[in-house]
Amino acid sequence: MPQQPDSNAVKQYLLGLQDTICQRLEALEGGAEFVRDAWDRPEGGGGVSRVISDGRIFEKGGVNFSHVMGDTMPASATAHRPHLAGAPWQAMGVSLVIHPNNPYVPTTHANVRFFIATPENGEPVYWFGGGYDLTPYYGFDEDCVHWHKTAEAACAPFGDDTYRRYKDWCDDYFYLRHRDEPRGVGGLFFDDHNTGDFEQDFGLMKSVGNSYIDAYEPIIRRRMDHTYGERERDFQLFRRGRYVEFNLVYDRGTLFGLQSGGRTESILMSLPPLVRWDYSRVPEAGSEEARLTEHFSPAATGWPMTRSNTRQVMNNELYAVVGHPINHSKSPRIHSVFASQTGEPVEYTAVQAPLDGFAATVRQFFEGGGKGLNVTVPFKEQAWDLAECRAARAEKSRCCQHTIPE
């Protein structure tokens, strides 16, 4: 006999997930906190919106829980399920969007959701959906690889091809067809998930939901103290326009929320506080701004996570140069070109460590699978102190330029 779906267990999990994500983001912020706003829906149900704004790290972010219900399913939910038209329904989920201040910290979105309908004289029909995606303004291969490795690990217990299918689905879904470009560097997306095994299906949603903050937090830590100026901020606001376009034109959650009489403030919480549109703006060829689409695009040769090379890149050896500042370094481009020309399985990026956080940055890099670091100013002496085994020249100069794990 098929397992009966346990809506209450799903609800309790989602409320706990909302708490966990908010707590970990607040710990990073170290000052600003999420404001809690509970709301009721006259047609049935309600939710809790939690919003953070004007923080040191987060310009605006929202982590929303909703549990809404009705007597007749909205059109967006019955387009592919006409047999459920007129059935009572419940929908619940956690949806979040984070817009950081620093242009080197990507915007991110995540959502996990559960839907159940009970047609007259029929068994309950349920499905799960969810996923997460990353939208950088200045991309780093290291961040992209970490993001996708975490997503792959979350999917691994649920089938060898689960990650690949949901990654491809994400690439297809988060695509601005009117501009013929992706919204970001992808991640996971799935919908209508029902294998008939409720516990297994619920387990998939939990695995994806739990892995989100593990995918995002290390990226925040690596980039949140990266120096930037008006140029980078201007480009961030320009690219945010793409984010707004997708959410208002294509996003299923936005359409469902508005069609089902959801709370408009919570539905449109995903929009950034500041954004700009420039007529026919095209970044200068070869610039860091142009690299976002020249390199980090499924259509671009060498993009770290195309459908054809995902496995290869995720198995590449990861190296980096670490310093403060680090924008000036040409090492990532030099090493990437060399690796491409020689066929070496290497990814090389730049990491700006906080002035008081070199040791933590090194630890996080190697815990994330990094193979080796070049060290530049002002951390060469700290690298010597951190190293447990030093070359003779390092002992003599009391500084290190390279570090590798034991």
Side-chain angles (χ1 to χ4, degrees):
M1 177 179 294
Q3 298 168 318
Q4 290 298 306
D6 188 346
S7 301
N8 186 61
V10 177
K11 180 176 181 177
Q12 294 309 310
Y13 164 74
L14 292 171
L15 288 168
L17 179 66
Q18 183 190 38
D19 284 341
T20 297
I21 292 173
C22 289
Q23 289 166 6
R24 288 182 61 174
L25 293 176
E26 284 178 341
L28 284 170
E29 181 63 60
E33 297 180 350
F34 281 89
V35 175
R36 186 179 187 276
D37 181 19
W39 52 273
D40 293 316
R41 178 174 175 269
E43 297 86 350
V48 178
S49 297
R50 298 173 72 168
V51 178
I52 192 169
S53 58
D54 300 323
R56 181 177 68 91
I57 300 172
F58 306 118
E59 185 174 7
K60 180 186 177 185
V63 183
N64 291 346
F65 165 79
S66 64
H67 178 199
V68 297
M69 57 206 70
D71 296 328
T72 303
M73 289 177 59
S76 61
T78 59
H80 303 294
R81 309 171 188 88
H83 62 290
L84 295 179
W89 59 274
Q90 295 184 59
M92 61 186 76
V94 167
S95 181
L96 66 91
V97 176
I98 305 297
H99 293 290
N101 285 303
N102 193 319
Y104 287 94
V105 182
T107 285
T108 187
H109 155 267
N111 172 273
V112 285
R113 55 193 178 273
F114 174 69
F115 200 103
I116 185 168
T118 309
E120 187 177 1
N121 301 322
E123 291 291 322
V125 177
Y126 75 85
W127 60 89
F128 289 94
Y132 45 74
D133 62 288
L134 193 71
T135 305
Y137 307 98
Y138 293 88
F140 295 86
D141 288 2
E142 175 189 9
D143 297 346
C144 183
V145 171
H146 164 75
W147 181 259
H148 282 275
K149 279 187 174 181
T150 307
E152 183 190 38
C155 295
F158 304 95
D160 293 341
D161 68 337
T162 300
Y163 164 72
R164 179 190 57 77
R165 289 188 292 110
Y166 291 169
K167 177 198 174 298
D168 289 351
W169 200 346
C170 184
D171 290 342
D172 290 338
Y173 179 71
F174 290 106
Y175 199 85
L176 285 81
R177 293 187 292 276
H178 63 287
R179 291 193 181 273
D180 194 26
E181 65 182 50
R183 187 172 84 170
V185 298
L188 299 173
F189 181 87
F190 68 99
D191 204 1
D192 302 310
H193 183 78
N194 179 342
T195 67
D197 184 334
F198 173 79
E199 290 300 328
Q200 180 83 351
D201 298 338
F202 186 20
L204 171 64
M205 188 195 78
K206 288 191 289 186
S207 186
V208 170
N210 293 342
S211 68
Y212 161 76
I213 194 65
D214 293 331
Y216 192 38
E217 183 177 346
I219 297 174
I220 299 173
R221 291 186 181 277
R222 280 197 291 263
R223 311 300 170 198
M224 65 186 188
D225 293 316
H226 205 298
T227 55
Y228 68 94
E230 292 184 8
R231 170 176 172 164
E232 291 84 2
R233 176 63 168 168
D234 178 78
F235 185 66
Q236 178 195 48
L237 299 186
F238 167 66
R239 291 299 303 182
R240 280 180 176 178
R242 302 296 203 263
Y243 203 92
V244 172
E245 290 174 21
F246 180 89
N247 278 30
L248 295 181
V249 176
Y250 301 114
D251 188 73
R252 293 182 187 178
T254 300
L255 297 176
F256 174 82
L258 295 175
Q259 290 178 1
S260 62
R263 185 171 184 258
T264 303
E265 283 297 312
S266 297
I267 297 166
L268 299 182
M269 170 278 301
S270 62
L271 301 182
L274 296 173
V275 65
R276 64 177 298 160
W277 280 268
D278 296 314
Y279 184 75
S280 295
R281 178 171 176 174
V282 178
E284 180 182 354
S287 66
E288 287 301 308
E289 291 76 20
R291 187 171 181 266
L292 183 65
T293 51
E294 291 173 352
H295 181 64
F296 291 91
S297 167
T301 302
W303 187 66
M305 288 293 157
T306 60
R307 295 184 184 186
S308 62
N309 74 351
T310 296
R311 176 64 51 197
Q312 174 187 340
V313 172
M314 290 175 63
N315 289 333
N316 281 356
E317 294 184 347
L318 184 61
Y319 296 86
V321 57
V322 58
H324 188 119
I326 201 64
N327 290 4
H328 63 281
S329 177
K330 303 299 183 184
S331 292
R333 181 151 298 186
I334 294 169
H335 285 80
S336 295
V337 170
F338 176 80
S340 177
Q341 292 176 344
T342 60
E344 295 291 329
V346 169
E347 296 295 325
Y348 194 103
T349 187
V351 177
Q352 177 165 290
L355 291 174
D356 60 351
F358 173 71
T361 300
V362 171
R363 183 180 66 253
Q364 291 166 12
F365 177 79
F366 288 124
E367 288 177 352
K371 297 296 185 181
L373 281 170
N374 286 335
V375 183
T376 187
V377 293
F379 298 124
K380 291 179 181 287
E381 292 182 358
Q382 292 185 48
W384 188 90
D385 291 333
L386 193 63
E388 296 181 358
C389 181
R390 310 180 186 95
R393 283 182 296 176
E395 289 285 5
K396 185 175 182 179
S397 63
R398 296 186 65 83
C399 69
C400 291
Q401 185 170 340
H402 312 285
T403 180
I404 58 175
E406 292 183 313

